[in-house]
Amino acid sequence: ILICCSDGLSDAENAAGEVFDATRILAVVEQHQDRSAEAIRDALREAAHRFAGELHDDLTLLVLKFP
Protein backbone atom coordinates (compact mmCIF):
# COMPACT_ATOMS: atom_id res chain seq x y z
CA ILE A 1 0.00 0.00 0.00
CA LEU A 2 1.37 3.39 -0.98
CA ILE A 3 -0.10 6.54 0.57
CA CYS A 4 0.69 9.99 -0.80
CA CYS A 5 -0.94 12.92 0.93
CA SER A 6 -0.71 16.66 1.21
CA ASP A 7 0.18 18.25 4.51
CA GLY A 8 -3.52 18.93 4.96
CA LEU A 9 -3.73 15.42 6.41
CA SER A 10 -0.58 15.28 8.51
CA ASP A 11 -1.00 18.84 9.81
CA ALA A 12 -4.67 18.41 10.81
CA GLU A 13 -4.77 19.63 14.40
CA ASN A 14 -7.27 18.89 17.16
CA ALA A 15 -8.37 21.24 19.94
CA ALA A 16 -5.51 20.01 22.18
CA GLY A 17 -2.94 21.05 19.58
CA GLU A 18 -2.07 17.47 18.59
CA VAL A 19 -1.52 16.73 14.90
CA PHE A 20 -2.74 13.80 12.83
CA ASP A 21 0.81 12.54 12.41
CA ALA A 22 2.33 9.55 10.63
CA THR A 23 1.62 7.27 13.59
CA ARG A 24 -2.10 8.03 13.37
CA ILE A 25 -2.11 7.75 9.57
CA LEU A 26 -0.38 4.36 9.75
CA ALA A 27 -2.83 3.11 12.38
CA VAL A 28 -5.77 3.90 10.07
CA VAL A 29 -4.07 2.24 7.09
CA GLU A 30 -3.24 -0.88 9.11
CA GLN A 31 -6.79 -1.09 10.41
CA HIS A 32 -8.18 -0.99 6.84
CA GLN A 33 -5.38 -2.74 4.92
CA ASP A 34 -7.67 -5.52 3.67
CA ARG A 35 -10.09 -3.04 2.10
CA SER A 36 -9.91 -1.34 -1.28
CA ALA A 37 -7.74 1.70 -1.98
CA GLU A 38 -10.89 3.82 -2.13
CA ALA A 39 -12.04 2.54 1.25
CA ILE A 40 -8.64 3.31 2.80
CA ARG A 41 -8.76 6.83 1.32
CA ASP A 42 -12.24 7.36 2.75
CA ALA A 43 -11.19 5.97 6.15
CA LEU A 44 -8.23 8.38 6.29
CA ARG A 45 -10.42 11.34 5.41
CA GLU A 46 -13.07 10.37 7.97
CA ALA A 47 -10.46 9.74 10.69
CA ALA A 48 -8.87 13.15 10.09
CA HIS A 49 -12.27 14.86 10.32
CA ARG A 50 -13.14 12.97 13.53
CA PHE A 51 -9.74 13.89 14.98
CA ALA A 52 -9.62 17.56 14.03
CA GLY A 53 -13.18 18.57 13.21
CA GLU A 54 -13.13 21.00 10.34
CA LEU A 55 -9.87 20.86 8.39
CA HIS A 56 -8.27 24.25 7.77
CA ASP A 57 -6.14 23.19 4.81
CA ASP A 58 -6.73 21.39 1.54
CA LEU A 59 -6.59 17.61 1.67
CA THR A 60 -5.18 15.56 -1.19
CA LEU A 61 -4.93 11.78 -0.85
CA LEU A 62 -3.64 9.12 -3.22
CA VAL A 63 -3.85 5.50 -2.14
CA LEU A 64 -2.41 2.70 -4.28
CA LYS A 65 -2.61 -1.00 -3.50
CA PHE A 66 -0.34 -3.52 -5.12
CA PRO A 67 -1.12 -7.24 -5.38
Side-chain angles (χ1 to χ4, degrees):
I1 300 172
L2 174 68
I3 308 293
C4 298
C5 62
S6 65
D7 64 350
L9 180 63
S10 58
D11 288 348
E13 191 173 305
N14 66 14
E18 301 168 317
V19 294
F20 197 75
D21 59 9
T23 301
R24 289 182 169 91
I25 292 169
L26 184 57
V28 173
V29 173
E30 287 177 343
Q31 183 179 6
H32 295 89
Q33 65 185 340
D34 294 331
R35 300 180 68 199
S36 69
E38 294 84 4
I40 295 169
R41 179 204 60 207
D42 293 344
L44 283 166
R45 188 178 350 178
E46 291 168 11
H49 281 285
R50 279 194 312 272
F51 178 80
E54 184 178 342
L55 301 180
H56 300 287
D57 196 358
D58 65 319
L59 176 58
T60 302
L61 287 168
L62 173 67
V63 179
L64 300 174
K65 283 192 75 170
F66 300 92

mmCIF file of all heavy atoms in Angstrom, residues 21-39:
data_model
loop_
_atom_site.group_PDB
_atom_site.id
_atom_site.type_symbol
_atom_site.label_atom_id
_atom_site.label_comp_id
_atom_site.label_asym_id
_atom_site.label_seq_id
_atom_site.Cartn_x
_atom_site.Cartn_y
_atom_site.Cartn_z
ATOM 1 N N ASP A 21 -0.526 12.845 12.908
ATOM 2 C CA ASP A 21 0.811 12.540 12.414
ATOM 3 C C ASP A 21 0.895 11.169 11.750
ATOM 4 O O ASP A 21 -0.099 10.466 11.600
ATOM 5 C CB ASP A 21 1.816 12.660 13.553
ATOM 6 C CG ASP A 21 1.508 11.724 14.715
ATOM 7 O OD1 ASP A 21 0.627 10.853 14.587
ATOM 8 O OD2 ASP A 21 2.167 11.860 15.764
ATOM 9 N N ALA A 22 2.107 10.811 11.342
ATOM 10 C CA ALA A 22 2.335 9.552 10.632
ATOM 11 C C ALA A 22 1.896 8.339 11.444
ATOM 12 O O ALA A 22 1.415 7.352 10.874
ATOM 13 C CB ALA A 22 3.810 9.434 10.261
ATOM 14 N N THR A 23 2.041 8.390 12.749
ATOM 15 C CA THR A 23 1.615 7.271 13.592
ATOM 16 C C THR A 23 0.112 7.060 13.481
ATOM 17 O O THR A 23 -0.356 5.925 13.354
ATOM 18 C CB THR A 23 2.002 7.530 15.063
ATOM 19 O OG1 THR A 23 3.425 7.698 15.138
ATOM 20 C CG2 THR A 23 1.577 6.391 15.964
ATOM 21 N N ARG A 24 -0.639 8.133 13.497
ATOM 22 C CA ARG A 24 -2.100 8.030 13.371
ATOM 23 C C ARG A 24 -2.503 7.597 11.964
ATOM 24 O O ARG A 24 -3.427 6.799 11.790
ATOM 25 C CB ARG A 24 -2.744 9.361 13.743
ATOM 26 C CG ARG A 24 -2.657 9.672 15.225
ATOM 27 C CD ARG A 24 -3.349 10.994 15.559
ATOM 28 N NE ARG A 24 -3.478 11.156 16.990
ATOM 29 C CZ ARG A 24 -2.593 11.755 17.769
ATOM 30 N NH1 ARG A 24 -1.499 12.268 17.253
ATOM 31 N NH2 ARG A 24 -2.792 11.853 19.067
ATOM 32 N N ILE A 25 -1.817 8.133 10.963
ATOM 33 C CA ILE A 25 -2.105 7.750 9.571
ATOM 34 C C ILE A 25 -1.857 6.257 9.394
ATOM 35 O O ILE A 25 -2.707 5.530 8.854
ATOM 36 C CB ILE A 25 -1.247 8.580 8.595
ATOM 37 C CG1 ILE A 25 -1.680 10.045 8.631
ATOM 38 C CG2 ILE A 25 -1.342 8.012 7.182
ATOM 39 C CD1 ILE A 25 -0.741 10.999 7.911
ATOM 40 N N LEU A 26 -0.715 5.780 9.871
ATOM 41 C CA LEU A 26 -0.375 4.363 9.745
ATOM 42 C C LEU A 26 -1.379 3.476 10.479
ATOM 43 O O LEU A 26 -1.746 2.413 9.984
ATOM 44 C CB LEU A 26 1.039 4.112 10.267
ATOM 45 C CG LEU A 26 1.579 2.695 10.115
ATOM 46 C CD1 LEU A 26 1.558 2.254 8.664
ATOM 47 C CD2 LEU A 26 2.985 2.605 10.670
ATOM 48 N N ALA A 27 -1.844 3.905 11.624
ATOM 49 C CA ALA A 27 -2.829 3.114 12.377
ATOM 50 C C ALA A 27 -4.112 2.936 11.565
ATOM 51 O O ALA A 27 -4.686 1.841 11.540
ATOM 52 C CB ALA A 27 -3.127 3.779 13.714
ATOM 53 N N VAL A 28 -4.556 3.988 10.900
ATOM 54 C CA VAL A 28 -5.775 3.898 10.071
ATOM 55 C C VAL A 28 -5.531 2.957 8.891
ATOM 56 O O VAL A 28 -6.360 2.098 8.585
ATOM 57 C CB VAL A 28 -6.219 5.295 9.573
ATOM 58 C CG1 VAL A 28 -7.371 5.172 8.588
ATOM 59 C CG2 VAL A 28 -6.603 6.185 10.751
ATOM 60 N N VAL A 29 -4.396 3.103 8.240
ATOM 61 C CA VAL A 29 -4.074 2.245 7.091
ATOM 62 C C VAL A 29 -3.995 0.786 7.522
ATOM 63 O O VAL A 29 -4.561 -0.094 6.861
ATOM 64 C CB VAL A 29 -2.760 2.694 6.415
ATOM 65 C CG1 VAL A 29 -2.327 1.701 5.341
ATOM 66 C CG2 VAL A 29 -2.916 4.091 5.823
ATOM 67 N N GLU A 30 -3.334 0.503 8.626
ATOM 68 C CA GLU A 30 -3.239 -0.881 9.110
ATOM 69 C C GLU A 30 -4.602 -1.449 9.457
ATOM 70 O O GLU A 30 -4.880 -2.614 9.184
ATOM 71 C CB GLU A 30 -2.312 -0.951 10.321
ATOM 72 C CG GLU A 30 -0.859 -0.780 9.963
ATOM 73 C CD GLU A 30 0.063 -0.772 11.171
ATOM 74 O OE1 GLU A 30 -0.413 -0.581 12.309
ATOM 75 O OE2 GLU A 30 1.281 -0.942 10.957
ATOM 76 N N GLN A 31 -5.455 -0.629 10.035
ATOM 77 C CA GLN A 31 -6.793 -1.094 10.409
ATOM 78 C C GLN A 31 -7.637 -1.438 9.179
ATOM 79 O O GLN A 31 -8.505 -2.299 9.252
ATOM 80 C CB GLN A 31 -7.494 -0.006 11.227
ATOM 81 C CG GLN A 31 -8.857 -0.390 11.726
ATOM 82 C CD GLN A 31 -9.494 0.722 12.543
ATOM 83 O OE1 GLN A 31 -8.976 1.827 12.659
ATOM 84 N NE2 GLN A 31 -10.649 0.439 13.101
ATOM 85 N N HIS A 32 -7.366 -0.793 8.046
ATOM 86 C CA HIS A 32 -8.177 -0.987 6.841
ATOM 87 C C HIS A 32 -7.395 -1.622 5.697
ATOM 88 O O HIS A 32 -7.845 -1.590 4.550
ATOM 89 C CB HIS A 32 -8.740 0.370 6.390
ATOM 90 C CG HIS A 32 -9.687 0.956 7.377
ATOM 91 N ND1 HIS A 32 -9.272 1.781 8.407
ATOM 92 C CD2 HIS A 32 -11.019 0.822 7.520
ATOM 93 C CE1 HIS A 32 -10.312 2.132 9.125
ATOM 94 N NE2 HIS A 32 -11.382 1.564 8.617
ATOM 95 N N GLN A 33 -6.256 -2.230 5.975
ATOM 96 C CA GLN A 33 -5.378 -2.738 4.924
ATOM 97 C C GLN A 33 -6.009 -3.796 4.023
ATOM 98 O O GLN A 33 -5.588 -3.965 2.875
ATOM 99 C CB GLN A 33 -4.077 -3.265 5.521
ATOM 100 C CG GLN A 33 -4.244 -4.462 6.416
ATOM 101 C CD GLN A 33 -2.930 -4.841 7.064
ATOM 102 O OE1 GLN A 33 -1.858 -4.464 6.600
ATOM 103 N NE2 GLN A 33 -3.012 -5.591 8.151
ATOM 104 N N ASP A 34 -7.020 -4.490 4.484
ATOM 105 C CA ASP A 34 -7.665 -5.519 3.674
ATOM 106 C C ASP A 34 -8.781 -4.960 2.799
ATOM 107 O O ASP A 34 -9.376 -5.703 2.027
ATOM 108 C CB ASP A 34 -8.232 -6.628 4.576
ATOM 109 C CG ASP A 34 -7.126 -7.386 5.289
ATOM 110 O OD1 ASP A 34 -6.010 -7.481 4.733
ATOM 111 O OD2 ASP A 34 -7.369 -7.865 6.409
ATOM 112 N N ARG A 35 -9.034 -3.680 2.891
ATOM 113 C CA ARG A 35 -10.093 -3.042 2.104
ATOM 114 C C ARG A 35 -9.509 -2.451 0.827
ATOM 115 O O ARG A 35 -8.304 -2.446 0.626
ATOM 116 C CB ARG A 35 -10.785 -1.990 2.953
ATOM 117 C CG ARG A 35 -11.419 -2.627 4.217
ATOM 118 C CD ARG A 35 -12.117 -1.660 5.093
ATOM 119 N NE ARG A 35 -13.301 -1.155 4.425
ATOM 120 C CZ ARG A 35 -13.925 -0.031 4.768
ATOM 121 N NH1 ARG A 35 -13.468 0.689 5.780
ATOM 122 N NH2 ARG A 35 -14.985 0.373 4.131
ATOM 123 N N SER A 36 -10.355 -1.927 -0.015
ATOM 124 C CA SER A 36 -9.914 -1.339 -1.284
ATOM 125 C C SER A 36 -9.162 -0.029 -1.044
ATOM 126 O O SER A 36 -9.256 0.575 0.031
ATOM 127 C CB SER A 36 -11.129 -1.058 -2.175
ATOM 128 O OG SER A 36 -11.907 -0.005 -1.622
ATOM 129 N N ALA A 37 -8.449 0.423 -2.061
ATOM 130 C CA ALA A 37 -7.738 1.702 -1.977
ATOM 131 C C ALA A 37 -8.718 2.830 -1.709
ATOM 132 O O ALA A 37 -8.437 3.737 -0.910
ATOM 133 C CB ALA A 37 -6.962 1.960 -3.271
ATOM 134 N N GLU A 38 -9.872 2.788 -2.339
ATOM 135 C CA GLU A 38 -10.888 3.819 -2.131
ATOM 136 C C GLU A 38 -11.392 3.829 -0.695
ATOM 137 O O GLU A 38 -11.592 4.886 -0.107
ATOM 138 C CB GLU A 38 -12.062 3.626 -3.103
ATOM 139 C CG GLU A 38 -11.717 3.842 -4.551
ATOM 140 C CD GLU A 38 -11.112 2.603 -5.215
ATOM 141 O OE1 GLU A 38 -11.021 1.522 -4.570
ATOM 142 O OE2 GLU A 38 -10.687 2.725 -6.380
ATOM 143 N N ALA A 39 -11.567 2.646 -0.125
ATOM 144 C CA ALA A 39 -12.041 2.544 1.253
ATOM 145 C C ALA A 39 -10.978 3.064 2.235
ATOM 146 O O ALA A 39 -11.317 3.707 3.229
ATOM 147 C CB ALA A 39 -12.417 1.105 1.587
#
